[in-house]
């Protein structure tokens, strides 16, 4: 089969438009394009949206970078000339939405000055720049200036799905046949007998349409819920004088918003205060050059990203009054790229559809030729009646229905159903899948490169040890006073200054008057310690900040300069302890004095750092430097070391077990961290990542290695410490391209974006992750927990296996239905299964089969085998063994019943033919019901294992059996059936049950695995051609 699917292959991530177009061109037979391609990207719409997006970006570029005097002259209207509506004046505001938008959109500094600058704008918006907006004015602001929401497509209604399902070409043809059948039947046989066959087909069609529409509508609701989760972004604002965390959709004009590295600017506005604020406007304007924002260039645009620094902004325009709002209209156009499994199953559906179409045409021709031959033999070839026309019409209806059954439209849609189900369940398990293909690809992951902090550890940090004044102190909440009593007063004073001034966190008061710390866990741990030992942020922060260099993962340090009251300046620096130590030539001794640092002193301090790191503590160094004058840049050397702190971040419960599960599943877990190598090794050993034969390496050493050395080293690397984002990117690239690994990468910072984008599956942290990281990720781990990543792998494998189960089940039904109808037509001149019966069988194998098999929850056994290889044959030899074995059994049984059923069942009387046909139909359906159970496991013999825990599967079985009873016993006039005796019912069920016994013997037949291309680097064999489920103990 695989060689016929060469046109149906795409990359899981960022496939080329050529590949997307290629498989579309290869699809020939489609019954209902609008439904089959609903979850496929519309390339034409995508191109139109891209053109529209470029047009908007060009317009923005003109406004931002080509601000000619003419534009400013036209737009520059004095505040006095601007007319305000009564509504705006009554609300107490001095500017309307259009005027505010024109200031920011055109970067119009002249108009900003005419309105009195930032202070003038704030007065006209009735907002305090210190306390923010009053919460009592929120409704009025939203009424005058609008909501921070964008125009979105209205959700599809249920009736739209019904209408779409009715567009199936084969169903339309069947409806026409049914209507003609009713008309001819009523004319020839009278009312109501003549209309039963036609009405039966129409009712069956509407039942198929209804079930299809309900299934599709439920999927759409799941995707809608997931889309809402994807769009949840939160920011900090100041309102009523208090810092609050709110959704970007709740932002109003006048809000004072706090921005940090990696944040998305949530609305248009102007800069208030900040340090080193650098904005990436590429998403809005298409320009790759970042923009420095300060008092001279104060304009901030919605949708842009904070690349560096921090600051506060005043919101001036929201929602559709921003250029980002207009751009957002185009972002969802064209839809998301289809997944590799969807494409592959479209190929399978196309191949089977061609075979089915051929069988349908042959069946119709055979039936027609036999009918014409019978008329010719009986000498009635020239005598035609309406009954003959009705018979030919029924032949045609049967042929069309064979196409309905044979073209498995449900195959590619089953992937979407399974993915939607998995994504919904993962959402409940704290993982948000942003891209459908990621769920599939995760099942093939062979390597996970994970961060340490927050992913393997709890991210709740506490300062545990402190080296200061040449002595090490253990810090405990209940006895800190005793342990720190020997620290010199002047040293402690400057230590507290360093903590409270050189920080990216902030101590704020809640409405209840309690102190809260807002910032990263590391910063919070330092501030908590400062408060614990009696430091007062209000007192300590009286010194004026002159310059700030925020922390970033490249420099691994943060620095500030403050102005001293008596004149002069003081620089504080904090960061990775080894880096800070190298910047120092003095340290504070036991007397509180700064003394020169000799090599011996430096070695002793390095021993302290290593001892802290050996206890799995994160180590930070704090230093200061006094200066008479402030230079152009913050100094890089000449500092005096104040202290080394050791911060405890415990390993998360369950991480060690999750890592071991991954190892058993053939997935190598590697830690990539910016921490000290000794800290990293200690944590890695505790988590079970670093083994005796594994390698721990530092980023600088990694960067120095040549290509040949890297090729040999990379498979052994289990820990990379003191790494830069560029190291992570290089590591991931080497693993993917050189070692052919399927790599999942975790990341939380802005600088992790390239590695997240380059990896096969990018995993962003939901709590610690920046918006930039989340935007470049495929999955967001909402609880930042490594155990959740293991769960994503399990669900990824489950999706793949579930689709294989469904394909095995559907192909078996396809083969049996086609051969039974064709053989019967050739031998007897009639089709044993009528159009109504085939439509019911189609529903069992398509919509209901997909619901039952494609939504089964994962089992722990999935993590007891290697990952699915990239080049694995999807329909494996083991699956073909099961399909052919079951098909042979069913064909033998149904053939025997069809051609010798009366004798075998001892049927006689005028209704013997009707009873036999009904019994054949009933037996065929029960074979499929029990084959559905057989398909729950491809290799495992105990197919009943865990069935009771699969509610959807059980519900589908119950509904199928119940409706089969109704069709046979009560809807005979429409379905061409007659009621069966209890004995015949039991025999039908027994024939189905025997298929389960047959399946056991089939699974005992050995299957030679397909030739393996390679063996995995870690030594285990790649996945066989079918999943090897193991028996439960």
């Amino acid at each position: 089969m695989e060689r016929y699917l060469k046109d149906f292959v795409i990359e899981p991530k960022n496939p080329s438009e050529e590949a997307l177009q290629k498989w579309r061109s290869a699809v020939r037979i489609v019954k209902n394009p609008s439904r089959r391609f609903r979850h496929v990207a519309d390339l034409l719409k995508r191109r139109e949206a891209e053109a529209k997006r470029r047009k908007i970006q060009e317009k923005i570029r003109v406004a931002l970078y080509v601000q000619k005097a003419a534009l400013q002259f036209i737009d520059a209207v004095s505040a006095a000339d601007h007319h305000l509506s009564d509504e705006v004046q009554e609300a107490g505001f001095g500017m309307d939405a259009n005027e505010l938008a024109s200031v920011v959109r055109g970067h119009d500094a002249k108009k900003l000055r005419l309105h009195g600058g930032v202070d003038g704008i704030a007065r006209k918006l009735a907002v305090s720049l210190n306390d923010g907006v009053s919460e009592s004015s929120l409704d009025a602001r939203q009424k005058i200036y609008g909501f921070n929401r964008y125009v979105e497509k209205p959700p599809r209604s249920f009736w739209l799905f019904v209408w779409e399902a009715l567009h199936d070409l084969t169903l339309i043809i069947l409806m026409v046949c049914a209507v003609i059948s009713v008309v001819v039947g009523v004319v020839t046989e009278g009312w109501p007998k003549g209309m039963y066959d036609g009405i039966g087909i129409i009712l069956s069609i509407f039942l198929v349409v209804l079930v299809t529409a309900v299934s599709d509508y439920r999927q759409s609701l799941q995707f809608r819920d997931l889309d809402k989760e994807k769009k949840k972004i939160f920011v900090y604002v100041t309102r009523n004088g208090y810092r609050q965390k709110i959704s970007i959709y709740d932002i109003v004009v006048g809000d004072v918003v706090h921005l940090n590295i990696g944040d998305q600017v949530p609305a248009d506005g102007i800069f208030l205060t900040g340090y080193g604020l650098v904005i990436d406007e590429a998403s809005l304007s298409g320009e790759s050059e970042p923009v420095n924002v300060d008092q001279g260039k104060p304009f901030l645009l919605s949708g842009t990203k904070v690349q560096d620094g921090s600051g506060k902004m005043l919101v001036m325009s929201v929602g559709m009054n921003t250029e980002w709002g207009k751009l957002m209209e185009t972002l969802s156009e064209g839809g998301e790229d289809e997944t590799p499994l969807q494409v592959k199953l479209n190929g399978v559906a196309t191949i089977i559809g061609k075979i089915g179409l051929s069988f349908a045409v042959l069946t119709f021709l055979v039936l027609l030729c036999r009918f014409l031959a019978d008329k010719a033999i009986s000498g009635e070839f020239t005598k035609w009646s309406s009954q003959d026309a009705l018979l030919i019409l029924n032949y045609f209806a049967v042929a069309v229905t064979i196409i309905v059954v044979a073209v498995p439209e449900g195959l590619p849609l089953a992937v979407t159903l399974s993915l939607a189900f998995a994504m919904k369940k993962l959402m409940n398990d704290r993982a948000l899948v942003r891209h459908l293909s990621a769920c599939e690809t995760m099942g093939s992951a062979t390597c996970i490169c994970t961060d340490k902090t927050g992913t393997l550890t709890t991210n709740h940090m506490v300062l545990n040890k402190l080296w200061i004044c040449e002595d090490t102190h253990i810090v405990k909440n209940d006895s800190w006073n005793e342990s720190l009593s020997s620290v010199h007063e002047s040293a402690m004073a400057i230590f507290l200054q360093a903590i409270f001034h050189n920080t990216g966190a902030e101590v704020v008061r809640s409405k209840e008057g309690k102190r809260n710390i807002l910032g990263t866990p590391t910063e919070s741990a330092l501030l908590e310690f400062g408060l614990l030992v009696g430091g007062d942020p209000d007192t300590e922060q009286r010194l004026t900040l002159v310059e700030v260099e925020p922390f970033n993962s490249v420099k691994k340090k943060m620095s500030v300069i403050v102005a001293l009251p008596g004149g002069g300046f003081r620089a504080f620096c904090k960061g990775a302890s080894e880096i800070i130590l190298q910047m120092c030539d003095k340290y504070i001794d036991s007397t509180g004095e700064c003394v020169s640092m000799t090599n011996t002193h430096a070695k002793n301090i390095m021993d302290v750092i290593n001892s802290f790191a050996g206890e799995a503590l994160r180590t930070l160094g704090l230093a200061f430097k006094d200066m008479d004058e402030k230079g152009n840049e913050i100094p890089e050397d000449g500092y005096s070391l104040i202290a080394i702190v050791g911060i405890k971040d415990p390993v998360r419960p369950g991480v060690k077990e999750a890592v071991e599960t991954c190892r058993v599943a053939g997935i190598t877990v590697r830690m990539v961290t910016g921490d000290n190598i000794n800290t990293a090794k200690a944590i890695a050993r505790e988590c079970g990542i670093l083994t005796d034969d594994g390698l721990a390496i530092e980023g600088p050493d990694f960067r120095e290695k040549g290509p040949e050395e890297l090729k040999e080293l990379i498979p052994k690397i289990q820990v990379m410490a003191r790494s830069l984002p560029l190291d992570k990117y290089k590591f991931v690239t080497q693993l993917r391209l050189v070692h052919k690994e399927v790599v999942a990468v975790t990341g939380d910072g802005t600088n992790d974006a390239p590695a997240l984008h380059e990896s096969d599956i990018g995993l962003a942290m939901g709590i610690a992750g920046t918006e930039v990281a989340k935007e470049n990720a495929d999955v967001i781990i909402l609880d930042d927990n490594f155990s959740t990543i293991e769960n994503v792998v399990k669900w990824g494998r489950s999706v793949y296996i579930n689709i294989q189960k469904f394909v095995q089940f559907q192909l078996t039904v396809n083969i049996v239905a086609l051969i039974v109808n064709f053989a019967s037509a050739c031998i007897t001149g009639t089709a044993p299964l009528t159009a109504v019966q085939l439509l019911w069988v189609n529903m069992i194998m398509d919509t209901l089969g997909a619901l039952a098999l494609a939504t089964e929850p994962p089992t722990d056994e999935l993590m007891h085998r290697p990952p699915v290889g990239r080049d694995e044959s999807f329909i494996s030899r083991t699956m073909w063994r099961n399909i052919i074995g079951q098909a042979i059994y069913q064909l033998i049984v149904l053939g025997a019943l069809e051609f010798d059923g009366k004798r075998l069942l001892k049927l006689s009387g005028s209704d013997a033919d009707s009873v036999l046909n009904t019994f054949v139909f009933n037996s065929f359906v029960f074979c499929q019901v029990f084959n559905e159970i057989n398909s729950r496991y491809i290799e495992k013999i105990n197919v009943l294992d865990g069935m009771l825990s699969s509610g959807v599967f059980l519900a589908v079985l119950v509904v199928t059996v119940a409706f089969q009873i109704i069709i046979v016993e009560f809807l005979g006039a429409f379905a061409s059936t007659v009621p069966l005796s209890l004995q015949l019912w039991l025999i039908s069920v027994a024939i189905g049950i025997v298929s389960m016994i047959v399946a056991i013997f089939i699974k005992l037949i050995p299957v030679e695995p397909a030739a393996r291309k390679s063996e995995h680097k870690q030594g285990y064999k790649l996945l066989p051609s079918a999943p090897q489920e193991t028996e439960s103990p």
Side-chain angles (χ1 to χ4, degrees), residues 309-551:
S310 60
K312 291 198 294 186
M313 67 174 280
L314 176 66
V315 174
M316 292 178 64
S317 292
V318 294
M320 293 308 294
N321 286 324
T322 67
E323 291 295 347
W324 182 249
K326 299 183 178 102
L327 199 62
M328 284 293 286
E329 285 186 272
T330 68
L331 291 183
S332 59
E333 288 293 330
E336 189 177 341
D337 286 332
E338 50 272 25
T339 72
L341 263 185
Q342 284 175 319
V343 173
K344 190 165 280 191
L345 289 183
N346 264 294
V348 173
T350 299
I351 293 167
I352 296 171
K354 289 176 181 177
I355 297 169
L357 180 62
S358 304
F359 268 87
V361 171
L362 284 172
T363 302
F364 177 70
L365 290 176
V366 168
L367 289 172
L368 182 61
C369 289
R370 284 189 63 102
F371 171 71
L372 294 175
D374 288 343
K375 284 188 76 70
I377 291 168
S378 61
E380 298 178 354
F381 195 78
T382 56
K383 298 175 184 178
W384 290 81
S385 65
S386 57
Q387 196 65 38
D388 292 335
L390 191 61
L391 193 59
I392 293 173
L393 185 68
N394 284 338
Y395 290 161
F396 182 70
V398 168
V400 173
T401 312
I402 287 173
I403 297 174
V404 173
V405 175
V407 180
E409 295 278 78
L411 277 181
L413 297 171
V415 180
T416 312
L417 175 66
S418 186
L419 288 170
F421 181 78
M423 288 166 75
K424 185 72 182 286
K425 292 294 183 181
L426 280 170
M427 186 69 229
N428 297 335
D429 292 340
R430 312 302 296 148
L432 173 60
V433 180
R434 296 185 70 249
H435 300 130
L436 276 175
S437 59
C439 213
E440 278 179 27
T441 312
M442 207 58 195
S444 301
T446 60
C447 169
I448 299 174
C449 294
T450 176
D451 289 332
K452 176 183 75 68
T453 306
T455 309
L456 300 173
T457 60
T458 60
N459 215 16
H460 180 72
M461 300 192 185
V462 178
L463 198 148
N464 188 260
K465 280 194 172 184
L466 169 66
W467 178 90
I468 188 171
C469 294
E470 301 183 275
D471 197 9
T472 299
H473 306 269
I474 297 174
V475 179
K476 294 181 180 177
N477 285 359
D478 54 353
S479 59
W480 64 266
N481 201 18
E482 296 173 19
S483 63
L484 297 176
S485 58
S486 61
V487 178
H488 197 277
E489 188 177 338
S490 63
M492 182 57 76
I494 202 163
F495 181 43
L496 290 176
Q497 273 189 9
I499 287 176
F500 285 107
H501 283 94
N502 188 19
T503 180
E506 208 173 337
V507 180
V508 298
R509 290 193 180 274
S510 66
K511 293 180 181 179
E512 294 78 26
K514 293 181 179 178
R515 278 177 171 168
N516 292 325
I517 299 173
L518 302 177
T520 65
T522 305
E523 297 276 19
S524 298
L526 284 170
L527 286 181
E528 279 179 9
F529 174 78
L531 295 173
L532 178 69
V533 297
D536 184 354
D538 297 327
T539 303
E540 302 294 345
Q541 291 181 339
R542 282 179 183 169
L543 300 178
T544 305
L545 281 174
V546 177
E547 193 169 339
V548 176
E549 183 184 81
F551 177 85

Side-chain angles (χ1 to χ4, degrees), residues 842-855:
N842 179 66
M843 195 189 305
I844 292 173
M845 76 171 195
D846 199 332
T847 308
L848 295 179
L851 273 172
L853 292 168
T855 60

Side-chain angles (χ1 to χ4, degrees), residues 103-132:
V103 174
V104 183
R105 196 180 300 157
H107 282 207
D108 198 333
K110 184 176 180 182
K111 189 179 283 190
L112 178 62
R113 286 195 300 272
L114 287 170
H115 283 290
V118 173
D119 292 330
I121 296 281
R123 282 194 300 274
K124 291 180 179 183
L125 292 178
V127 60
S128 162
L129 296 180
N130 291 322
D131 296 337

